[in-house]
Amino acid sequence: MWVNKLGVTLLLLVASGSQYVQSQQAKVLCYYDAANFLIEGLGKVSLADLDTALPFCTHLVYGYAAIDVETNKAVSRQPNLDLDTGKGNYRTATQLKGKYPSLKVLLGLGGYKFSEPSIKYLTLLESGAARITFINSVYSLLKTYGFDGVDLEWQFPMNKPKKVRSTLGGVWHGFKKVFSGDSVLDEKAEEHREEFTALLRELKNAFRSDGYQLGITVLPHVNSSIFMDIPAIINYLDFVNIAAYDQQTPARNKKEADHAAPLYELSDRVPGNNVDGQVRLWLTNNAPASKLIVSIPTFGRGWKMNADSGITGVPPLAADGPSDPGSQTQTEGFYSWSEVCAMLPNPSNTALKGAEAPLRRVGDPTKRFGSYAFRLPDSNGEHGVWVSYEDPETAGNKAGYVKAKTLGGIAINDLSYDDFRGSCAGEKFPILRAAKYRL
C-alpha cells in the first residue's frame, strides 16, 4: 500500500511538472527603501509598517547602501538610521527572521531613484584593488548585521530617452545616430563588461563559505547586452531582478506621456522597452528561467495634459511636463498606488470639480500594457493630468506571466508605495497580495 501511494505521489509530481516546481520555489522579493522612513507626513514608512506584508515575501531587500567614492567601500547612506551607532535599522531588519524564519533579508546596494553618477561605479570596476576593498566591505556589512546576501543595483550608464516615432522618422533618426556618434554610452564598455564579470565572480567566491546570496537588479534603461556578459555571469548569481518599469517617465520625456511599465511591446515604440522584451533578452542568452525575477512597481507616473493632448487619452499623447505631486510621496509626476486610488472615482470625489475631480480610469482588458487614467484640461487649459500606473489587477497579470513562463518569481518595488495602510480598499498591501496569489 505504501508503494502504491508513493507511486501515485510521484505520478502527480511528474504530471504537474514545472508548475509544481515553481509553486514550491517562486521567489517574492520585497524591496524597502529605508529613506521613506525619513519622509515627514503620510509617506513615512517604518519597518514596523511592513509587518502585514512579510508573510507574503520570501526575501526582504533593505535599501540602499552606496559606494564611498574616496574609499571604494560599501557604506550606509543613512548611518544614523541604519547602523548600531544610530537607530539600528540594519539589525532590526535582519532580526525579523526570528518572527519569519523562512524570510531571507538582503542588503540592497545602489538603487535606482538616486541617479548617482555612474562614473564612480565604472571607476571601481577598473581596479582590482578597489574591487577587493569593495568586496571586503560588503562582506563585513553582511557578517556584522546578519544579512543573508546582497542585491547589486549597479549604476551603469542609461540609454538616452527616445520619442515615439513613425517608421520613417525612426529610420532617419537611426541613420543620423550612426554618423553623429551619440549612441556611445561608454567608450570602455567592453572593458567594464569583463570587469563586472570579474566582480561578480570574486563576490561569489567570497560569499561561498557563508552561503550568502548574490543577486543583481537590471535597472531601467540599462542595456544588458552592452554591460553584462550574460552567459558568463549567470552562474555566479542566485537571481536577476529585471526592473522593466519606468520605460517612459516625465523626467525622461516631458512632452510625451505613455505607458510606464508595459508587459508586452506596443506598436511604434522602442523595441525591448517592456517586460517580455527584457525577459526574452536574458533567456536567449542562456539564462535559466528559474533565475529571472520580474519586478512589479507599486507606483504610477503622471504628466500634465494640455490643449495638444487630444481628448481620447489614448497614449502616446502630447504632454506638458510632470503632473503635480501627491500628498504622500511629494514628488512631481510620481504617485504611490494609494495616491492613484484616491484620484480614481470613489464616493468621496464624484461631485468634485477642477483640480479635485476624479480621473477617468481606462483598464487593460488585453492584459498586455497596463492601466491608465486621465482628466482633460478645463476651458482654461488647466488641471489636466494623465497617469500610467500599476494596480492589483495588472500586478496579478504580471505574476500570471511569470508563472506561465516558469520564471523564478516576482519583485515588489517598493513596499512603501503599495497601500500599506489599506486606505484604498481596506486591505493592506493589495498589489503584493494580488501578485502573490497569481504565482
Side-chain angles (χ1 to χ4, degrees):
M1 181 66 68
W2 180 83
V3 174
N4 288 339
K5 287 182 178 179
L6 178 60
V8 170
T9 301
L10 290 175
L11 180 62
L12 288 173
L13 294 184
V14 172
S16 61
S18 60
Q19 290 185 349
Y20 173 83
V21 173
Q22 182 169 15
S23 67
Q24 298 297 306
Q25 299 179 350
K27 293 181 174 66
V28 181
L29 274 61
C30 295
Y31 284 73
Y32 169 63
D33 180 1
N36 288 301
F37 178 78
L38 304 176
I39 296 175
E40 295 297 330
L42 294 174
K44 187 184 186 75
V45 186
S46 69
L47 279 170
D49 291 320
L50 309 184
D51 193 64
T52 312
L54 295 181
F56 298 91
C57 307
T58 61
H59 295 68
L60 173 65
V61 183
Y62 182 100
Y64 287 92
I67 296 172
D68 185 320
V69 69
E70 300 295 332
T71 64
N72 292 312
K73 291 182 178 181
V75 295
S76 164
R77 266 198 183 88
Q78 298 106 198
N80 291 335
L81 177 65
D82 297 332
L83 305 185
D84 286 343
T85 53
K87 188 174 176 62
N89 258 21
Y90 276 171
R91 203 170 299 280
T92 301
T94 58
Q95 287 175 347
L96 289 168
K97 293 182 287 183
K99 186 174 183 179
Y100 305 101
S102 61
L103 182 71
K104 300 295 183 183
V105 182
L106 307 182
L107 177 64
L109 189 146
Y112 166 55
K113 75 176 187 179
F114 298 99
S115 300
E116 293 181 302
S118 59
I119 186 64
K120 72 177 182 180
Y121 286 79
L122 301 181
T123 302
L124 187 151
L125 291 177
E126 294 171 3
S127 166
R131 294 201 304 268
I132 291 173
T133 299
F134 172 74
I135 291 167
N136 288 339
S137 66
V138 171
Y139 179 86
S140 178
L141 284 173
L142 302 187
K143 194 75 171 178
T144 300
Y145 292 100
F147 287 102
D148 296 299
V150 66
D151 172 48
L152 295 181
E153 301 191 16
W154 208 255
Q155 303 281 334
F156 287 111
M158 293 185 181
N159 298 334
K160 296 180 180 180
K162 297 180 181 179
K163 291 185 66 176
V164 176
R165 304 170 190 275
S166 66
T167 303
L168 179 60
V171 170
W172 171 240
H173 180 69
F175 178 78
K176 289 194 298 181
K177 286 188 70 175
V178 170
F179 295 97
S180 67
D182 66 353
S183 61
V184 179
L185 295 173
D186 176 15
E187 293 182 351
K188 296 192 289 185
E190 282 295 326
E191 176 186 331
H192 293 145
R193 176 183 168 105
E194 294 177 5
E195 291 159 350
F196 187 63
T197 300
L199 174 67
L200 296 181
R201 180 176 63 247
E202 293 158 0
L203 270 168
K204 191 63 176 178
N205 288 336
F207 288 176
R208 203 175 303 279
S209 61
D210 293 89
Y212 291 142
Q213 294 187 15
L214 175 59
I216 62 171
T217 292
V218 184
L219 295 175
H221 309 290
V222 168
N223 193 325
S224 302
S225 60
I226 293 177
F227 295 109
M228 301 176 190
D229 186 346
I230 296 175
I233 68 175
I234 196 65
N235 290 331
Y236 306 130
L237 299 171
D238 293 286
F239 64 84
V240 176
N241 175 25
I242 299 174
Y245 49 75
D246 278 1
Q247 300 305 303
Q248 189 82 321
T249 72
R252 287 179 62 82
N253 194 335
K254 298 179 180 180
K255 299 298 183 181
E256 195 170 57
D258 202 359
H259 287 288
L263 180 53
Y264 290 99
E265 188 167 314
L266 296 90
S267 60
D268 297 326
R269 303 314 203 274
V270 178
N273 279 8
N274 55 85
V275 171
D276 184 62
Q278 295 296 311
V279 168
R280 284 189 286 109
L281 171 63
W282 282 78
L283 290 176
T284 55
N285 279 277
N286 299 321
S290 60
K291 289 191 176 184
L292 301 185
I293 307 296
V294 169
S295 202
I296 299 174
T298 55
F299 53 84
R301 292 291 186 176
W303 289 257
K304 290 180 180 178
M305 296 182 73
N306 59 22
D308 297 324
S309 302
I311 62 172
T312 67
V314 177
L317 70 159
D320 189 25
S323 54
D324 294 334
S327 59
Q328 295 184 24
T329 54
Q330 304 170 27
T331 304
E332 286 189 336
F334 183 94
Y335 302 106
S336 66
W337 163 235
S338 58
E339 288 176 319
V340 173
C341 184
M343 292 190 290
L344 300 177
N346 63 72
S348 68
N349 66 15
T350 52
L352 298 177
K353 303 295 182 181
E356 304 299 323
L359 307 187
R360 184 186 311 171
R361 180 185 185 275
V362 181
D364 182 22
T366 66
K367 300 181 180 180
R368 296 178 66 84
F369 310 128
S371 299
Y372 64 90
F374 66 99
R375 179 176 60 230
L376 295 176
D378 58 23
S379 58
N380 296 321
E382 298 178 345
H383 308 314
V385 62
W386 190 96
V387 181
S388 170
Y389 62 90
E390 203 83 48
D391 59 22
E393 182 179 355
T394 59
N397 293 340
K398 286 181 176 175
Y401 168 90
V402 166
K403 183 174 182 179
K405 296 285 187 180
T406 63
L407 303 180
I410 58 173
I412 301 298
N413 201 335
D414 183 300
L415 290 179
S416 303
Y417 306 129
D418 202 349
D419 186 9
F420 67 95
R421 290 192 176 90
S423 59
C424 180
E427 183 179 64
K428 294 182 179 181
F429 299 100
I431 288 180
L432 167 62
R433 290 171 185 263
K436 172 67 174 179
Y437 290 151
R438 289 287 300 274
L439 280 181

